[in-house]
Structures are given as C-alpha cells and as structure tokens.
Amino acid sequence: MSSSGRGPGAGARRRRTRCRRCRACVRTECGDCHFCRDMKKFGGPGRMKQSCLLRQCTAPVLPHTAVCLLCGEAGKEDTVEGEEEKFALSLMECTICNEIVHPGCLKMGKAEGVINTEIPNCWECPRCTQEGRTSKIKGGREKHLKKKPKPPSASPEGPAAPAPSPQREKLERFKRMCQLLERVPDTSSSSSDSDSDSDSSATSLSEDEAPGEARNGRRPPRGNSGEKENRGGRRAWRPGSGGPLLSWPLGPAPPPRPPQLERHVVRPPPRSPEPDTLPLVAGPDHPLPRAAWLRVFQHLGPRELCICMRVCRTWSRWCYDKRLWPRMDLSRRKSLTPPMLSGVVRRQPRALDLSWTGVSKKQLMWLLNRLQGLQELVLSGCSWLSVSALGSAPLPALRLLDLRWIEDVKDSQLRELLLPPPDTKPGQTESRGRLQGVAELRLAGLELTDASLRLLLRHAPQLSALDLSHCAHVGDPSVHLLTAPTSPLRETLVHLNLAGCHRLTDHCLPLFRRCPRLRRLDLRSCRQLSPEACARLAAAGPPGPFRCPEEKLLLKDS
C-alpha cells in the first residue's frame, strides 16, 4: 500500500528548518556570493530570496509543527532521560516514504530500521526496509537498529555504484565549495603560466571534482578565445584543458573590497488595522462599532467565542482581542500540539493553567518567551524537566506561581530555581532572584528544606500568600524562619497554608503572633497540634481574635 493512503500528507516531504547550531548557521553572510549580492542589505534587488552559500545548514531539523502520523503528538524526547526512551519518543522522518512517526508507535517486530547519522531525525522506517524499497540517500553513515544487513553478493562486473540523491549532491557541493574558499587565501601569488603549476592545479581539482561538473554531471563549454575570467578575476578557463583550473594573475592580488553599507532599511510589513465596523453583504455597515461588539463578547465564554470566530473574518479578528481571554485553561491535556501553543500566544492571556499536562521544556520556554504580560502560571503536576524552563525564561510580570506536586523534584533543583540568574550583576535590580515580583507561591507536596526556605525569604520578599502544605520537612524551625525579625515575610504575609505538616508542634503556635497582617492560617491535618492550643491562639491571635469555622483553621475578617 502506498504511503499516500495512510494519512493526510503522509507522502509529502516536510520542509526542514535550520538547526541554528552548526558552523554554517552561526556565521554571518560573506557578502561576496551571488545570493548575498542579491540581498537588499548588500545593495541588491532582493529577488532570489536565498541564504548565503556559506550559511546553508548542513544538518537541517524538522519544523516545529511536525507531529507523529500515528498518534498526532509532537516529539517528547525532552521528558525522559534514557537513550532508548528518548529515541522511542523522538520524531523520525523516513527517507523513502517521507512519513514522520515516533519509533515507539511502530511495532517493529523482526524488521530493522536504518538511521542516517548525517541528518538528524532521519532514517529508513522498518516498513520500507521490510518491503525492500530502495533508499533515497545512499552512501551516508548508516546505523542499523537491530541486525546488520547481509552484504550484497558481488557481481562479476563489480559492485554497482549507487546513484547519489539531490540532497546529498547539494551537501557534497557545499563541502567542496568550503574547501576551495579555504584554500584560496592560503595560496601564494606565484606565477600561474608554468606547466608544473597548471598540472598541480588540475590534479587537485580532479580529486575533488570540478565545480562545473558537479551540477547534474554537465561539463561547462570551453572558450575559443583565450582565458575567460569570472567576476572576481581569479578563476579562468583554458582551452585544451580537461576542466576548470585555478590561475592567478601575474601582478599582486587586488585589495579586498570594502564592506558595503546597507542601502535599504528592511522593516517588517505593517500590521493591517482591524476594522472599526462590521461590513455587511447587502447595504451599509452594521451600526454597532467594534467597541460595542467587544462589550458584548466579554459576556461569552471560551466555547461561545470560538463559535463566533467562525461567523465571519471580521468577528474572527475581533475575538482574538486579549481582553476577551484573561485566562486560558489547558489543564489535564494529554499533549499540547503546536496549533494550540500558537493559539495561546496569539491571545496573550494574563493567566495560563498547564496543570497535569505533558508540556515539554521546549514548549514551555517557547511560550514564556512570547507571553511577556503573563501574571499567573499554574504548573502543578508537571514534570521537573519541563518546569526547569523557568530558570532561563524572563518572568517580569509574574504574580502567581503554582508548583504543587511537581514530579521528581529535589531540594537542590528547587534552590537553583530560587537563585538569581548567573549572568546577573550584584548592582542590578534582578539580583534578588527570578521570583522577586511574585505575590503568591504554591509549593505543596515538595521536598522543601530550611535551606531552600532561607533562599525563598531572601529572593522572594513580596510574598503575601504562601502554600507549604504537605511538605514533609517543614517543622517548628521553619516557622521560626518565617516569623523571625529579619524575615521580610513577617510584615507581608496574609495567607499561610501549613496543612499536613506533621512536624509542627504546639510550641510554634505563639510564633504566629509576630505576623500582624495574617488573615488566614490553615493547620488542618497536623497530627502533633492539639485543638486546645489552636483555640487559645484563635482567642489571643495577632491584633484581633480569629474565628474557627473548622478545627485548626483560623480566619480573620478583614
């Protein structure tokens, strides 16, 4: 069965993107090749729309929107640590049928898959290998998954050379071009009309294959009237020779070209303004303006807004207004697809709930770098590998952070999150930590020790609500740290949740009288606290008594 019938777009090859890590991706444009000369910033017309010849990526990766054909999920190799588990959850593109799947979604059986080590996320899938299809990329470094292939029987005529693919030809041409460009500045300006120099140049080019013969195996036409120099005046064709030779002029080399200044200022296209009125098919526009429609849309929920976006194009643009999406709830989703992430960024919510989802570290970093106005972030129940993205993401407007019941988090990892960034200087305002503006922090169920609590008091001084419920290491010394005279939370703490902390005793209850602004104190499920001691604290309390609607729950009316 052909691959085109297995799903929509199964047989279509996905265009790959830059890896942004190889030597070609990190360098700048040369400014001399014909693609650079066509760019507007180098004074060209900008018609070719091609990147510099020296910046062509040698290891292109799959696009961000690529998903598995079988399960419809993106690559999740960042959520695991083992090599076998990472390979099973990574996306692999077959070079034969162009299908993108997770190796873990395939039942490989006795069939084998062949990995191409030159291009990332590229292999020959077990289905195509079992059916005996020929690969489109031959001659590269291959890695067999299960068993080595049997060597082909040698024919009396000798082994047949496999036909190179266009992608491999492009890679080989790029490597030869880099070798030639690196060889040109190191060559002295000796005379080139001697036969010995010509023979050595011809030999060196015949080993690497001439640039003119590398494209589709065609040989460039020979000139009839002496040498024909190219645009730079350094390469020339000689009649009677078997291929192109490098010839140098007798005089000194010309001085290098001065860098050309940018002639055209390149700016992004202006965003088209949203219409102020609703155009109708028949007659004039609707009398209600856009502001009135937005007042109506504010009374609708997310489901109703999505229905309104299907009515017309004008309503679809109006319904993307961030005032209509103050909070987005994606909790308990099995996986987050790229269209879902793009929809979140386009709506720019102030509160985002990703609790108990399979969000990866790469997805979370992509979101946080594009949601600069995010004020509330809920990540309870996620893995620590994903939550560790908070350590390198800017959070200038964050006011609420929920990290309850994070899986596999250790006290040392939590301290790395509380510490300021390593590149922050002591005189800067961000030297107090990443959570300096957070007012409410929820850390229920984590292994929080007194050392982490000291860092919390130092680098998060504006906390008014703190949830430390069910933290096994929180005891009487922790309460003493929270209410010490040097603690900044002593004057700012309003809500404190210590439910389920079994190390708390009756000796820590008088310490809570040091917090004058305390309005809610939850001590439920604390085994070593007696109800009588809690009742005495409620009667005396900080300025003004508490009321106890439940046992060991102290509330005060503001």
Side-chain angles (χ1 to χ4, degrees):
M1 184 175 67
S2 62
S3 61
S4 61
R6 294 169 188 165
R13 181 178 178 85
R14 302 297 299 269
R15 182 175 181 180
R16 290 181 171 248
T17 58
R18 287 184 177 272
C19 67
R20 303 183 185 275
R21 292 189 298 269
C22 66
R23 182 180 178 183
C25 287
V26 299
R27 66 158 295 159
T28 57
E29 289 88 356
C30 65
D32 293 331
C33 64
H34 57 283
F35 289 152
C36 287
R37 293 177 180 177
D38 178 73
M39 297 179 184
K40 286 187 176 182
K41 66 179 181 178
F42 291 112
R47 298 173 183 173
M48 295 185 181
K49 309 295 183 183
Q50 298 291 331
S51 61
C52 176
L53 285 176
L54 300 184
R55 295 196 70 244
Q56 294 184 3
C57 182
T58 58
V61 297
L62 291 174
H64 180 70
T65 56
V67 294
C68 178
L69 181 65
L70 302 179
C71 64
E73 298 181 4
K76 299 184 294 183
E77 63 271 12
D78 295 337
T79 60
V80 294
E81 295 182 356
E83 294 295 334
E84 296 293 337
E85 298 176 352
K86 282 188 177 182
F87 175 73
L89 295 179
S90 61
L91 292 177
M92 300 296 292
E93 180 185 19
C94 180
T95 58
I96 302 176
C97 61
N98 296 330
E99 289 185 353
I100 303 176
V101 294
H102 291 133
C105 297
L106 294 176
K107 297 181 180 179
M108 299 178 62
K110 295 183 179 181
E112 57 176 338
V114 182
I115 300 179
N116 189 344
T117 57
E118 292 186 352
I119 302 177
N121 300 92
C122 186
W123 72 337
E124 298 178 11
C125 65
R127 184 185 294 113
C128 295
T129 306
Q130 188 178 13
E131 293 176 0
R133 299 185 183 180
T134 58
S135 174
K136 297 180 181 179
I137 300 179
K138 294 288 185 180
R141 302 190 186 102
E142 297 177 348
K143 177 180 175 183
H144 294 266
L145 295 182
K146 290 201 171 182
K147 59 181 181 179
K148 296 183 178 179
K150 298 181 179 179
S153 58
S155 60
E157 301 175 355
S165 64
Q167 187 175 6
R168 182 160 184 82
E169 285 185 359
K170 182 178 179 181
L171 183 60
E172 294 296 334
R173 289 198 304 269
F174 173 73
K175 290 181 179 179
R176 287 193 298 271
M177 187 177 300
C178 293
Q179 293 175 0
L180 290 176
L181 291 177
E182 291 177 357
R183 192 179 304 168
V184 165
D186 299 336
T187 310
S188 61
S189 60
S190 59
S191 61
S192 60
D193 55 343
S194 61
D195 297 336
S196 59
D197 294 341
S198 302
D199 296 340
S200 61
S201 303
T203 306
S204 61
L205 276 179
S206 61
E207 294 176 357
D208 292 339
E209 186 179 355
E213 296 176 354
R215 189 180 300 274
N216 300 329
R218 298 179 180 177
R219 188 182 299 273
R222 301 177 181 176
N224 298 326
S225 58
E227 299 181 354
K228 294 184 178 180
E229 297 185 356
N230 63 346
R231 184 178 300 178
R234 298 198 176 192
R235 298 182 186 177
W237 300 103
R238 289 189 175 183
S241 60
L245 299 178
L246 286 177
S247 62
W248 295 87
L250 295 178
R257 276 176 33 184
Q260 298 181 359
L261 298 178
E262 185 175 347
R263 299 183 183 179
H264 302 274
V265 179
V266 182
R267 296 188 179 95
R271 185 179 179 182
S272 58
E274 298 183 358
D276 293 332
T277 58
L278 178 63
L280 301 178
V281 178
D285 296 345
H286 199 278
L288 284 182
R290 173 176 174 267
W293 281 109
L294 291 180
R295 295 288 298 272
V296 175
F297 291 151
Q298 287 179 354
H299 297 278
L300 304 180
R303 187 179 298 273
E304 290 80 8
L305 285 175
C306 292
I307 296 176
C308 293
M309 294 174 67
R310 303 177 184 176
V311 175
C312 63
R313 185 175 300 177
T314 303
W315 275 23
S316 178
R317 296 185 62 181
W318 287 352
C319 289
Y320 273 115
D321 195 292
K322 62 181 181 180
R323 291 173 290 181
L324 304 178
W325 304 91
R327 179 181 179 85
M328 294 192 67
D329 187 3
L330 299 178
S331 59
R332 302 188 181 277
R333 299 276 182 173
K334 184 179 179 181
S335 63
L336 300 179
T337 59
M340 296 170 62
L341 302 180
S342 302
V344 171
V345 172
R346 189 170 182 182
R347 288 166 175 83
Q348 291 291 314
R350 294 192 301 270
L352 181 60
D353 189 356
L354 298 175
S355 58
W356 306 100
T357 59
V359 60
S360 63
K361 180 179 179 180
K362 186 185 301 183
Q363 291 175 333
L364 187 58
M365 288 188 62
W366 189 86
L367 279 175
L368 295 180
N369 289 326
R370 288 161 177 81
L371 298 177
Q372 298 298 328
L374 190 63
Q375 299 180 3
E376 300 181 9
L377 180 61
V378 181
L379 296 173
S380 57
C382 299
S383 64
W384 173 252
L385 289 175
S386 305
V387 178
S388 60
L390 296 173
S392 56
L395 302 171
L398 195 63
R399 296 295 177 266
L400 184 147
L401 182 59
D402 191 342
L403 300 178
R404 294 177 294 177
W405 307 106
I406 298 296
E407 302 175 0
D408 305 329
V409 59
K410 298 180 181 179
D411 184 63
S412 59
Q413 297 172 339
L414 188 61
R415 282 183 297 203
E416 292 179 1
L417 178 63
L418 297 175
L419 287 173
D423 55 347
T424 304
K425 299 180 180 180
Q428 295 180 357
T429 56
E430 296 181 358
S431 61
R432 299 164 66 185
R434 301 181 179 93
L435 308 180
Q436 60 170 347
V438 176
E440 182 174 355
L441 186 60
R442 303 171 185 173
L443 302 175
L446 303 185
E447 297 181 3
L448 186 72
T449 61
D450 292 343
S452 300
L453 192 59
R454 291 189 186 94
L455 291 176
L456 179 64
L457 298 177
R458 179 180 179 183
H459 300 294
Q462 300 182 11
L463 287 179
S464 61
L466 182 60
D467 184 3
L468 300 178
S469 58
H470 301 282
C471 292
H473 299 287
V474 174
D476 293 349
S478 304
V479 178
H480 180 74
L481 288 175
L482 288 174
T483 59
T486 57
S487 172
L489 303 188
R490 180 176 178 175
E491 303 294 333
T492 62
L493 204 58
V494 179
H495 301 280
L496 181 60
N497 189 356
L498 298 175
C501 298
H502 303 307
R503 294 190 177 186
L504 296 178
T505 62
D506 294 343
H507 300 287
C508 70
L509 294 181
L511 300 177
F512 292 110
R513 299 176 183 176
R514 303 176 180 177
C515 302
R517 300 183 59 187
L518 194 61
R519 295 290 180 269
R520 178 186 174 91
L521 179 61
D522 192 350
L523 299 174
R524 291 176 291 183
S525 302
C526 295
R527 300 173 184 175
Q528 301 188 34
L529 290 178
S530 61
E532 294 79 8
C534 294
R536 290 194 298 268
L537 176 64
F546 286 96
R547 59 184 180 88
C548 296
E550 298 182 21
E551 188 179 15
K552 302 180 183 180
L553 177 62
L554 289 78
L555 301 178
K556 181 187 291 186
D557 297 331
S558 57

